[in-house]
Amino acid sequence: MRFLVLFTLVFAWQHAHAEVYKCTGKDGKTVYQSKPCQTAAKAEQLDIQADPEVEAAAKARREALESEYDAKKAAKLETERREAILRNQTESAAALKQSAIAHQQQVEAQQRQAAALERQAQQGANPVMIVAPPVVLPAPTVPQAPVAPVMPSGPAAKDQTLR
């Protein structure tokens, strides 16, 4: 934005000091140009001088635009800074909330564990007798003498042994 304003003022300043020629052609048309007239019925050089009041007004407008731009830029930076602070606070609050939830869950788990230990201690104060069912032992077995294998006898048995 500054560059554009500065460029416009420099460009206007250079043209304010430029020479201008008024050329009237044979057909009666008037043309203004920056170069001297070459073929014209009437040629005249115009003396254009910058007006100090106009230049002062243009300078004042430029300075006003620059200060307005700087003010907008500062406001934008301040808004971004505030948004960053707010975002940081929101993230911190969310992290603290998660931490509190985790802490609460841990406390509840400890309370459940303490209650279980207390129940266990109360059961230990009132002993309970557990009686096992009677065990039936199997009857003793008498060892028997080993039995010798019986060999087949007869003509079929002889056939089987020869093979």
Side-chain angles (χ1 to χ4, degrees), residues 8-141:
T8 304
L9 289 176
V10 168
F11 186 72
W13 176 74
Q14 286 180 347
H15 279 22
H17 296 308
E19 295 177 342
V20 178
Y21 296 93
K22 179 180 178 183
C23 303
T24 306
K26 295 178 183 173
D27 56 356
K29 289 185 179 179
T30 303
V31 178
Y32 295 93
Q33 58 189 32
S34 61
K35 298 178 183 176
C37 304
Q38 293 180 358
T39 57
K42 182 177 176 187
E44 177 182 349
Q45 180 177 357
L46 301 175
D47 188 21
I48 300 175
Q49 297 203 1
D51 187 8
E53 293 175 7
V54 172
E55 286 185 23
K59 185 177 180 181
R61 279 194 310 266
R62 179 182 55 93
E63 289 174 355
L65 288 173
E66 285 179 352
S67 65
E68 181 182 342
Y69 174 76
D70 290 341
K72 285 181 181 179
K73 186 175 181 180
K76 182 179 178 182
L77 290 175
E78 180 65 21
T79 301
E80 289 174 355
R81 185 185 67 81
R82 286 183 183 174
E83 287 175 353
I85 289 171
L86 181 62
R87 188 173 40 253
N88 188 16
Q89 289 174 345
T90 303
E91 290 172 357
S92 295
L96 287 174
K97 184 177 180 181
Q98 290 295 325
S99 176
I101 290 170
H103 181 68
Q104 181 65 30
Q105 289 173 346
Q106 185 180 13
V107 167
E108 290 172 358
Q110 288 174 348
Q111 288 174 346
R112 285 191 303 271
Q113 185 179 13
L117 288 174
E118 190 174 317
R119 281 191 306 272
Q120 188 179 15
Q122 286 176 355
Q123 288 176 355
N126 300 326
V128 175
M129 298 278 286
I130 299 177
V131 179
V135 177
V136 179
L137 296 174
T141 59

